[in-house]
Amino acid sequence: MNFAELELLRATAKESIKLRLGEEPSDNFKYHVLVCGGTGCLSIGCQNTLDAFQKAVDSHGLQDSVKVVVTGCMGTCEMGPVITVFPEGYYYCRVQPEDAEEIVSSHLKNGKFVERLCYHAADGSVQARKSDMTFFKKQKRNALRNCGLISQTSLEEYIAMDGYKALAKVLQGMSPQQVVDEVKKSGLRGRGGAGFPTGVKWQFVLDQQADQKYIVCNGDEGDPGAFMDRSVLEDDPYSVIEAMTIGGYAVGASKGFAYIRLEYPRAIDHYNKALCRAREVGLLGNNILGTDFSFDIEIRVGAGAFVCGEETALLASIEGRRGEPRPRPPFPAVSGLFAKPTVINNVESWANICPIIINGGDWYASMGTEKSKGTKVFTLAGKITNTGLVEIPLGLTLREMVEDIGGGVPDGKAFKAAQTGGPSGGCIPAAYLDTPIDYENLAALGSIVGSGGMIIVDEGTCMVDLAKFYLGFTQDESCGKCTPCRIGTKRMLEILERITKGLGKEGDLELLVELANSIKASALCGLGQTAPNPILSTLRYFKDEFEAHIKDKNCPAGVCKMPRKGLKS
Amino acid sequence: MGAECKCNCDQEKKLDALFAQYKGNSNGLIVVMAAIQEVHGYLPKDFLVKTAEELGVPLSDVYGVATFYAAFSLRPRGRHCVNLCLGTACYVKGAPDVQTILEQEMGIKAGNTTEDRRFSLDLVRCLGACGIAPVLTVNGEVYPRMTAEKVNEILAKYE
């Protein structure tokens, strides 16, 4: 494929999705019915809903005017199976196979939407179309721009949505330095958790002299409660492939690796299919789009080790070794994969690259706050009405996130805290609900943006137990290489286990803090350095809960099994 | 569709091809072991020895990698792999109660296989399906919004 053929394909492909973009289509389709095929919807039976739909469409003889498409995650996992009907964008929730007939006969045949299946807000109001829904109103989708809108592995639909426009622009007239400058200007920071400026990282690698350089995509999304990378890899794999190709051009690398965790078999499958297709049409491999530039990508599947999300451990794992981190420097930009200069970015970071190239770094930087530019994907889960994938401009307040987008805490319970950043992060209590969400503010509160997991907990959650859960996780996933992490987290966990069994004693909290600070200061990698964060942050805001466990042998939330009152243990 | 080959010969061939591809190349260690695990359900000792010889890696290193990653098992697994997600969302929505019942019903602790090799029970860290927590999977089949009450009914489906 060359540049002209790409544009020709885009023109035809665009015609077939115009209806979804609110434009007048030139074909005969009057409706596009998009069925969410994300992992959440799949596991609650969207396949049966899809089959029923297809059948109903056929039995009404509408196959020439109604197109049924399976897409990736639309973002509202709690409401699945979800269906969107375009052109208007009517959003149907929890659609069972037996509802298909009604939607087809009422909506698709007679133009009357089915109100009972639309989203009902907590106040009882009906938000029928996607554009009416508070869940979507405050979002701004860059990394998730195509998720839930196009068929997951269709190259044509990807190209119709401006796919490969960025690569064409780069190859037709941007120097590597110009590409790096654009990414720098955007202010994009690593979305995997560390938040290091992506453009600066690229510059380091561009400046290195080497016979071989590498591009790596970190898809080892291990933080419990975070699943944005899975969604991007499953639902929009080409956006990552195209971005990695651009990265290869920008820093002078001809080879890339995508490291995807084993627990995401569909992501591996979709990404692999996309790789094959891109190779087939000359968008990957030798002489891409007829130019001198060659680049290819290989998939490496993780083998179930959380620590491999740490960059040096991940590189060791690609090389076939135990995924143990090593001290930095040298940083991967200087000596990375196979000791060559390597750009390693997270999936979501990659997913932001193409829009930045197309619209310019300034455009991206115009979103977000002064120091935290752009948009970030969060996974809203736990005790919240609307769970799912949410992409917001940084700077939105936590309250907007919880109340407007999330629809509040269900069952009339009170919001207690938002846990962000997974096992490396911390919690934010109700008093700080009006804090704008960005890297700086969350850090000041003792938490982090991290990879974007956001778990909402209500009054029924014991914060001591939650802290114990996170520490149990990091302790279990500690690779064992350095002493502070291997033994320090174990000792901390033992103390927490005692406390949650009602066997805590005076001095425990001081010891926890002392251990926490020593581990933070001396652990080898990010896993260990951040492991104490959930404890320190919980101690900061919920010290009274710890004290109730220790002094009164009482779990205020009623979660921990305490010895009966009056018994000495 | 023609008659399907019941033996693993195709997969064995795939393994041989991998051995050939990574001959003398330690970088392929995880790729090769993942393939062995896929074909045999675990890593039989003979194959670890073969891997060491073919790739030119000390057997101790092969063992080191095999025991480092949670996906690799040195013992045969059960016919049905039951994975309970213990990610944060699942945890706060009641996965620990489901774990208790699963362990009770199977008579084993998580991380083990029942004596009749009917079930292997593992706790996994976040399957990324937090919207439908707590999540249980059996042989990859996803069971959303698990409760302790649903456990028996689901296990009964797998003989």
Side-chain angles (χ1 to χ4, degrees):
Chain A
M1 191 186 286
N2 57 34
F3 294 114
E5 286 162 352
L6 173 67
E7 290 315 316
L8 203 64
L9 176 59
R10 190 189 317 284
T12 359
K14 208 157 200 163
E15 283 305 319
S16 63
I17 64 157
K18 264 188 171 168
L19 194 124
R20 271 175 249 171
L21 306 174
E23 295 169 35
E24 196 63 40
S26 58
D27 53 24
N28 292 327
F29 288 110
K30 273 173 66 190
Y31 291 106
H32 283 193
V33 176
L34 274 57
V35 181
C36 179
T39 294
C41 284
L42 258 188
S43 51
I44 34 183
C46 77
Q47 185 62 44
N48 296 337
T49 303
L50 173 70
D51 293 343
F53 237 96
Q54 212 95 45
K55 227 162 125 188
V57 167
D58 287 351
S59 74
H60 283 271
L62 294 174
Q63 53 271 53
D64 295 329
S65 61
V66 175
K67 189 194 239 171
V68 182
V69 187
V70 179
T71 71
C73 181
M74 296 180 182
T76 56
C77 306
E78 171 71 20
M79 306 172 198
V82 193
I83 280 175
T84 324
V85 178
F86 283 101
E88 301 92 344
Y90 280 103
Y91 204 83
Y92 292 128
C93 311
R94 300 198 182 92
V95 182
Q96 302 307 313
E98 53 273 23
D99 299 325
E101 172 60 33
E102 187 180 347
I103 294 177
V104 172
S105 60
S106 164
H107 189 158
L108 305 183
K109 210 154 182 194
N110 296 318
K112 231 183 118 227
F113 75 95
V114 184
E115 192 182 300
R116 72 176 177 92
L117 293 169
C118 293
Y119 175 73
H120 288 65
D123 61 7
S125 65
V126 178
Q127 303 175 353
R129 282 165 302 189
K130 224 173 151 174
S131 51
D132 303 327
M133 291 172 69
T134 37
F135 181 82
F136 290 108
K137 269 187 184 163
K138 291 195 169 166
Q139 292 196 48
K140 174 87 186 84
R141 298 189 147 210
N142 290 319
L144 301 178
R145 61 192 178 278
N146 293 331
C147 296
L149 209 55
I150 62 170
S151 170
Q152 291 163 309
T153 50
S154 162
L155 178 63
E156 287 71 16
E157 295 203 349
Y158 175 69
I159 287 178
M161 297 295 291
D162 288 345
Y164 282 99
K165 209 176 193 174
L167 182 65
K169 182 176 177 184
V170 162
L171 293 180
Q172 275 177 312
M174 285 176 85
S175 69
Q177 186 60 57
Q178 283 173 320
V179 178
V180 173
D181 286 343
E182 216 54 62
V183 177
K184 270 196 217 161
K185 226 192 288 172
S186 75
L188 175 66
R189 292 166 66 169
R191 295 293 190 237
F196 190 81
T198 306
V200 176
K201 206 186 254 188
W202 288 24
Q203 185 72 58
F204 287 148
V205 179
L206 174 61
D207 291 344
Q208 293 291 314
Q209 297 293 326
D211 56 342
Q212 176 77 61
K213 296 176 186 178
Y214 292 104
I215 295 290
V216 174
C217 169
N218 184 344
D220 194 47
E221 181 177 57
D223 273 3
F227 51 97
M228 60 285 288
D229 294 351
R230 193 206 63 205
S231 196
V232 171
L233 289 168
E234 280 181 8
D235 305 338
D236 198 15
Y238 293 104
S239 71
V240 179
I241 295 172
E242 184 188 355
M244 287 175 73
T245 313
I246 292 170
Y249 174 81
V251 304
S254 61
K255 174 105 198 158
F257 286 90
Y259 189 93
I260 308 178
R261 69 197 284 251
L262 179 78
E263 290 86 340
Y264 290 173
R266 289 183 81 232
I268 296 165
D269 179 48
H270 288 188
Y271 193 82
N272 194 30
K273 279 190 181 128
L275 278 185
C276 294
R277 189 73 213 288
R279 244 178 244 135
E280 210 176 270
V281 297
L283 290 167
L284 206 59
N286 288 332
N287 304 103
I288 292 171
L289 284 166
T291 65
D292 293 340
F293 176 61
S294 300
F295 183 80
D296 211 337
I297 300 171
E298 214 177 289
I299 294 186
R300 282 301 161 95
V301 177
F306 173 71
V307 70
C308 286
E310 197 279 340
E311 58 182 15
T312 59
L314 186 146
L315 297 176
S317 186
I318 294 181
E319 292 171 9
R321 296 184 284 121
R322 286 164 69 96
E324 287 172 340
R326 61 160 176 82
R328 297 172 300 180
F331 285 90
V334 176
S335 175
L337 190 59
F338 304 117
K340 301 291 183 189
T342 303
V343 167
I344 171 163
N345 285 138
N346 155 268
V347 171
E348 189 190 333
S349 308
W350 286 117
N352 277 301
I353 295 296
C354 295
I356 288 173
I357 297 295
I358 295 175
N359 304 311
D362 290 331
W363 161 82
Y364 192 80
S366 70
M367 291 172 279
T369 60
E370 198 198 331
K371 284 186 177 157
S372 300
K373 309 281 190 199
T375 55
K376 172 82 190 89
V377 184
F378 287 90
T379 52
L380 206 48
K383 307 282 183 67
I384 184 93
T385 308
N386 305 332
T387 64
L389 274 182
V390 175
E391 183 168 359
I392 54 159
L394 286 157
L396 215 66
T397 66
L398 185 59
R399 187 183 299 281
E400 290 174 285
M401 186 76 148
V402 173
E403 293 176 4
D404 298 342
I405 297 175
V409 176
D411 308 327
K413 291 206 175 149
F415 170 91
K416 187 172 189 178
Q419 208 286 347
T420 66
S424 310
C427 54
I428 304 169
Y432 296 93
L433 266 172
D434 290 311
T435 310
I437 303 167
D438 68 9
Y439 287 93
E440 289 72 30
N441 281 325
L442 261 50
L445 290 178
S447 186
I448 58 168
V449 170
S451 58
M454 186 176 278
I455 308 287
I456 307 301
V457 295
D458 65 15
E459 52 200 314
T461 307
C462 169
M463 297 310 285
V464 185
D465 181 65
L466 189 64
K468 184 185 80 175
F469 163 79
Y470 278 116
L471 201 66
F473 177 87
T474 30
Q475 155 60 206
D476 195 38
E477 295 293 345
S478 170
C479 79
K481 183 167 173 172
C482 76
T483 319
C485 178
R486 183 183 68 240
I487 300 175
T489 57
K490 180 85 182 159
R491 292 291 99 87
M492 286 181 77
L493 182 61
E494 284 164 1
I495 297 172
L496 283 171
E497 275 170 349
R498 267 199 292 108
I499 294 176
T500 52
K501 279 183 192 147
L503 304 173
K505 49 187 186 214
E506 215 169 303
D508 271 350
L509 298 185
E510 291 73 16
L511 187 56
L512 272 177
V513 172
E514 193 187 335
L515 273 166
N517 288 326
S518 315
I519 296 168
K520 270 173 87 92
S522 58
L524 174 60
C525 80
L527 191 157
Q529 288 158 11
T530 60
N533 285 356
I535 316 299
L536 289 174
S537 139
T538 315
L539 267 171
R540 179 166 162 184
Y541 299 114
F542 297 96
K543 196 168 184 182
D544 52 326
E545 281 197 32
F546 280 88
E547 281 168 349
H549 282 74
I550 295 172
K551 293 190 183 135
D552 312 334
K553 311 292 175 210
N554 173 37
C555 174
V559 173
C560 303
K561 292 183 179 66
M562 292 294 182
R564 269 184 299 145
K565 282 265 159 68
L567 283 179
K568 284 263 184 257
S569 42
Chain B
M1 288 277 280
E4 265 181 60
C5 177
K6 290 278 192 304
C7 74
N8 277 338
C9 57
D10 266 5
Q11 290 180 302
E12 293 282 353
K13 266 187 213 148
K14 226 170 90 185
L15 271 187
D16 285 339
L18 273 181
F19 278 128
Q21 187 187 339
Y22 289 106
K23 193 153 184 76
N25 180 357
S26 63
N27 297 333
L29 190 50
I30 293 174
V31 178
V32 169
M33 290 209 291
I36 298 172
Q37 171 95 25
E38 200 186 320
V39 174
H40 296 278
Y42 75 112
L43 300 172
K45 193 177 164 196
D46 300 350
F47 278 86
L48 291 183
V49 173
K50 187 174 176 186
T51 304
E53 284 167 358
E54 295 282 337
L55 273 61
V57 183
L59 187 57
S60 58
D61 283 9
V62 174
Y63 183 77
V65 170
T67 50
F68 182 84
Y69 293 100
F72 298 134
S73 167
L74 296 175
R75 276 174 300 173
R77 317 268 302 144
R79 291 192 297 284
H80 307 292
C81 294
V82 181
N83 289 338
L84 177 67
C85 182
L86 266 195
T88 321
C90 292
Y91 186 83
V92 300
K93 285 195 147 181
D97 297 337
V98 180
Q99 180 189 346
T100 311
I101 299 293
L102 279 168
E103 289 180 337
Q104 245 171 43
E105 288 302 316
M106 294 185 188
I108 51 169
K109 285 276 167 204
N112 292 292
T113 301
T114 55
E115 228 160 78
D116 58 3
R117 290 196 41 208
R118 184 174 163 205
F119 292 116
S120 287
L121 175 62
D122 282 298
L123 303 178
V124 295
R125 302 301 196 181
C126 200
L127 294 165
C130 313
I132 49 171
V135 179
L136 177 83
T137 70
V138 184
N139 303 335
E141 174 111 4
V142 181
Y143 293 95
R145 303 194 183 107
M146 275 302 295
T147 57
E149 292 75 42
K150 291 187 193 168
V151 165
N152 270 324
E153 191 190 325
I154 289 170
L155 292 186
K157 289 191 200 171
Y158 300 90
E159 254 323 300

